[in-house]
Amino acid sequence: MRASAHRRLLPAILAAVLSLAPAMAPAAGWDAPLAARDGWSVVATPHPFETLLERLRRVVEAEGLFVVTEAGPTGAARARGITIPGNRVVGVFNNVFAVRLLEISVAAMIEAPLRFYVTENPDGTATLAYKLPSTVFAPYADEGGAPLAEVAAELDGIFSAISAQATAP
């Protein structure tokens, strides 16, 4: 193929590739803060990621729960040579609630521990998010009835208090 033919095809090829770019781009990847959604609490904070994570850990225990799990891809990605924003899921619970839940609904216990989600934003601040416990336990409402609704409401209040304290300026 002659060079002039290449020059004529290049704009068409470039246009075809660029037309695919929006379909290949992530809808809301780590270049965007976590968005609000139904059944969640999402609070943007002025705090850096590590600061918010430490504040959360401290406040959880002050509110009578315990950090029982932590997981996030940031460190493992770094070990693979990939840099991603801070991202940590913090599972919290208390055996008192575990026993109460088991008395109400064995199936609902699969949701324990309940989780907070700390994400680092593009501007260096962090966001604290969690699914409302009442949302998490909603699928078990028929089985658990009013007692389950009471436990979920109590946990909603505790999670709200933890969030307010951890995210305060």
Side-chain angles (χ1 to χ4, degrees), residues 39-40 114 130-141 148-157 159:
W40 287 48
L114 297 169
Y130 63 92
K131 287 184 182 180
L132 300 172
S134 55
T135 299
V136 172
F137 292 122
Y140 312 96
L148 181 60
E150 290 170 16
V151 169
E154 187 176 343
L155 286 164
D156 279 352
F159 268 60

Short mmCIF file of all heavy atoms in Angstrom, two decimals, residues 39-40 114 130-141 148-157 159:
data_model
loop_
_atom_site.label_atom_id
_atom_site.label_comp_id
_atom_site.label_asym_id
_atom_site.label_seq_id
_atom_site.Cartn_x
_atom_site.Cartn_y
_atom_site.Cartn_z
N GLY A 39 -30.22 3.79 50.35
CA GLY A 39 -29.89 2.85 51.41
C GLY A 39 -28.48 2.98 51.95
O GLY A 39 -28.06 2.16 52.76
N TRP A 40 -27.76 3.99 51.49
CA TRP A 40 -26.39 4.22 51.94
C TRP A 40 -26.30 5.57 52.63
O TRP A 40 -27.08 6.48 52.34
CB TRP A 40 -25.42 4.27 50.77
CG TRP A 40 -25.09 2.98 50.09
CD1 TRP A 40 -25.97 2.03 49.64
CD2 TRP A 40 -23.79 2.54 49.73
NE1 TRP A 40 -25.27 1.02 49.03
CE2 TRP A 40 -23.93 1.30 49.07
CE3 TRP A 40 -22.52 3.07 49.90
CZ2 TRP A 40 -22.84 0.59 48.57
CZ3 TRP A 40 -21.44 2.36 49.41
CH2 TRP A 40 -21.61 1.12 48.76
N LEU A 114 -21.08 -5.90 59.81
CA LEU A 114 -21.52 -4.78 58.99
C LEU A 114 -20.27 -3.97 58.62
O LEU A 114 -19.27 -4.00 59.34
CB LEU A 114 -22.53 -3.93 59.75
CG LEU A 114 -23.82 -4.66 60.11
CD1 LEU A 114 -24.65 -3.84 61.09
CD2 LEU A 114 -24.63 -4.97 58.87
N TYR A 130 -21.36 3.78 54.18
CA TYR A 130 -21.83 2.50 54.69
C TYR A 130 -23.26 2.29 54.25
O TYR A 130 -24.00 3.23 53.98
CB TYR A 130 -21.74 2.41 56.22
CG TYR A 130 -22.60 3.41 56.98
CD1 TYR A 130 -23.89 3.08 57.40
CD2 TYR A 130 -22.11 4.67 57.31
CE1 TYR A 130 -24.67 3.98 58.11
CE2 TYR A 130 -22.88 5.57 58.01
CZ TYR A 130 -24.15 5.23 58.42
OH TYR A 130 -24.93 6.13 59.11
N LYS A 131 -23.63 1.01 54.12
CA LYS A 131 -25.03 0.68 53.90
C LYS A 131 -25.72 0.77 55.25
O LYS A 131 -25.19 0.28 56.26
CB LYS A 131 -25.18 -0.75 53.36
CG LYS A 131 -24.75 -0.92 51.94
CD LYS A 131 -25.04 -2.36 51.51
CE LYS A 131 -24.59 -2.61 50.10
NZ LYS A 131 -24.88 -4.00 49.70
N LEU A 132 -26.87 1.39 55.28
CA LEU A 132 -27.62 1.47 56.53
C LEU A 132 -27.93 0.05 57.01
O LEU A 132 -28.37 -0.79 56.21
CB LEU A 132 -28.93 2.23 56.33
CG LEU A 132 -28.82 3.67 55.85
CD1 LEU A 132 -30.20 4.22 55.52
CD2 LEU A 132 -28.13 4.53 56.87
N PRO A 133 -27.69 -0.25 58.29
CA PRO A 133 -28.02 -1.59 58.77
C PRO A 133 -29.47 -1.98 58.47
O PRO A 133 -29.74 -3.15 58.15
CB PRO A 133 -27.75 -1.49 60.28
CG PRO A 133 -26.61 -0.50 60.34
CD PRO A 133 -26.96 0.53 59.31
N SER A 134 -30.40 -1.03 58.53
CA SER A 134 -31.79 -1.36 58.20
C SER A 134 -31.93 -1.80 56.75
O SER A 134 -32.77 -2.64 56.42
CB SER A 134 -32.71 -0.18 58.51
OG SER A 134 -32.26 0.98 57.84
N THR A 135 -31.11 -1.27 55.87
CA THR A 135 -31.10 -1.70 54.47
C THR A 135 -30.49 -3.09 54.35
O THR A 135 -31.01 -3.95 53.63
CB THR A 135 -30.31 -0.70 53.60
OG1 THR A 135 -30.94 0.57 53.66
CG2 THR A 135 -30.20 -1.15 52.16
N VAL A 136 -29.39 -3.31 55.07
CA VAL A 136 -28.71 -4.60 55.02
C VAL A 136 -29.63 -5.72 55.49
O VAL A 136 -29.67 -6.80 54.90
CB VAL A 136 -27.42 -4.57 55.87
CG1 VAL A 136 -26.80 -5.95 55.99
CG2 VAL A 136 -26.43 -3.57 55.29
N PHE A 137 -30.40 -5.46 56.56
CA PHE A 137 -31.25 -6.51 57.12
C PHE A 137 -32.66 -6.56 56.52
O PHE A 137 -33.44 -7.44 56.86
CB PHE A 137 -31.32 -6.36 58.65
CG PHE A 137 -30.01 -6.65 59.33
CD1 PHE A 137 -29.40 -5.70 60.12
CD2 PHE A 137 -29.39 -7.87 59.16
CE1 PHE A 137 -28.19 -5.96 60.74
CE2 PHE A 137 -28.17 -8.15 59.77
CZ PHE A 137 -27.57 -7.19 60.57
N ALA A 138 -32.98 -5.67 55.63
CA ALA A 138 -34.32 -5.63 55.02
C ALA A 138 -34.74 -6.95 54.36
O ALA A 138 -35.91 -7.34 54.48
CB ALA A 138 -34.41 -4.48 54.01
N PRO A 139 -33.85 -7.68 53.69
CA PRO A 139 -34.27 -8.94 53.08
C PRO A 139 -34.77 -10.00 54.08
O PRO A 139 -35.39 -10.97 53.68
CB PRO A 139 -33.01 -9.44 52.36
CG PRO A 139 -32.20 -8.21 52.12
CD PRO A 139 -32.48 -7.33 53.31
N TYR A 140 -34.50 -9.79 55.36
CA TYR A 140 -34.89 -10.77 56.37
C TYR A 140 -36.08 -10.29 57.20
O TYR A 140 -36.41 -10.89 58.22
CB TYR A 140 -33.68 -11.05 57.30
CG TYR A 140 -32.43 -11.32 56.49
CD1 TYR A 140 -31.52 -10.29 56.23
CD2 TYR A 140 -32.20 -12.58 55.96
CE1 TYR A 140 -30.39 -10.53 55.47
CE2 TYR A 140 -31.06 -12.82 55.18
CZ TYR A 140 -30.16 -11.78 54.95
OH TYR A 140 -29.05 -12.02 54.17
N ALA A 141 -36.73 -9.24 56.76
CA ALA A 141 -37.83 -8.64 57.51
C ALA A 141 -38.99 -9.60 57.74
O ALA A 141 -39.56 -9.64 58.83
CB ALA A 141 -38.33 -7.38 56.81
N LEU A 148 -36.26 -7.86 64.59
CA LEU A 148 -35.16 -7.56 63.67
C LEU A 148 -35.15 -6.07 63.33
O LEU A 148 -34.08 -5.45 63.28
CB LEU A 148 -35.26 -8.39 62.40
CG LEU A 148 -34.14 -8.17 61.37
CD1 LEU A 148 -32.78 -8.51 61.96
CD2 LEU A 148 -34.41 -8.99 60.12
N ALA A 149 -36.32 -5.50 63.13
CA ALA A 149 -36.41 -4.06 62.84
C ALA A 149 -35.84 -3.24 64.00
O ALA A 149 -35.18 -2.22 63.78
CB ALA A 149 -37.85 -3.66 62.56
N GLU A 150 -36.05 -3.70 65.22
CA GLU A 150 -35.52 -3.00 66.39
C GLU A 150 -33.99 -3.05 66.43
O GLU A 150 -33.33 -2.04 66.69
CB GLU A 150 -36.09 -3.59 67.68
CG GLU A 150 -37.56 -3.28 67.89
CD GLU A 150 -38.17 -4.07 69.04
OE1 GLU A 150 -37.42 -4.64 69.87
OE2 GLU A 150 -39.42 -4.14 69.11
N VAL A 151 -33.42 -4.23 66.18
CA VAL A 151 -31.96 -4.37 66.15
C VAL A 151 -31.38 -3.49 65.04
O VAL A 151 -30.40 -2.78 65.24
CB VAL A 151 -31.54 -5.84 65.97
CG1 VAL A 151 -30.05 -5.96 65.68
CG2 VAL A 151 -31.90 -6.65 67.20
N ALA A 152 -31.99 -3.54 63.85
CA ALA A 152 -31.51 -2.75 62.72
C ALA A 152 -31.58 -1.26 63.03
O ALA A 152 -30.64 -0.51 62.73
CB ALA A 152 -32.32 -3.07 61.47
N ALA A 153 -32.66 -0.80 63.66
CA ALA A 153 -32.80 0.62 64.01
C ALA A 153 -31.74 1.01 65.04
O ALA A 153 -31.15 2.12 64.96
CB ALA A 153 -34.20 0.90 64.55
N GLU A 154 -31.48 0.13 66.00
CA GLU A 154 -30.44 0.41 67.00
C GLU A 154 -29.08 0.54 66.32
O GLU A 154 -28.31 1.46 66.60
CB GLU A 154 -30.43 -0.70 68.05
CG GLU A 154 -29.51 -0.43 69.21
CD GLU A 154 -29.60 -1.51 70.28
OE1 GLU A 154 -30.58 -2.31 70.31
OE2 GLU A 154 -28.67 -1.56 71.11
N LEU A 155 -28.80 -0.36 65.41
CA LEU A 155 -27.53 -0.30 64.68
C LEU A 155 -27.47 0.91 63.74
O LEU A 155 -26.40 1.51 63.58
CB LEU A 155 -27.30 -1.60 63.91
CG LEU A 155 -26.90 -2.79 64.79
CD1 LEU A 155 -27.07 -4.10 64.04
CD2 LEU A 155 -25.48 -2.63 65.29
N ASP A 156 -28.60 1.30 63.16
CA ASP A 156 -28.63 2.54 62.36
C ASP A 156 -28.15 3.72 63.20
O ASP A 156 -27.35 4.54 62.74
CB ASP A 156 -30.05 2.84 61.85
CG ASP A 156 -30.44 2.06 60.60
OD1 ASP A 156 -29.59 1.38 60.00
OD2 ASP A 156 -31.64 2.15 60.23
N GLY A 157 -28.65 3.80 64.43
CA GLY A 157 -28.26 4.89 65.33
C GLY A 157 -26.78 4.86 65.68
O GLY A 157 -26.11 5.89 65.69
N PHE A 159 -24.35 3.41 63.92
CA PHE A 159 -23.58 3.72 62.71
C PHE A 159 -23.62 5.22 62.40
O PHE A 159 -22.61 5.80 62.01
CB PHE A 159 -24.08 2.91 61.51
CG PHE A 159 -23.35 1.61 61.33
CD1 PHE A 159 -23.33 0.65 62.32
CD2 PHE A 159 -22.66 1.35 60.16
CE1 PHE A 159 -22.65 -0.53 62.16
CE2 PHE A 159 -21.96 0.17 59.98
CZ PHE A 159 -21.95 -0.79 60.99
#
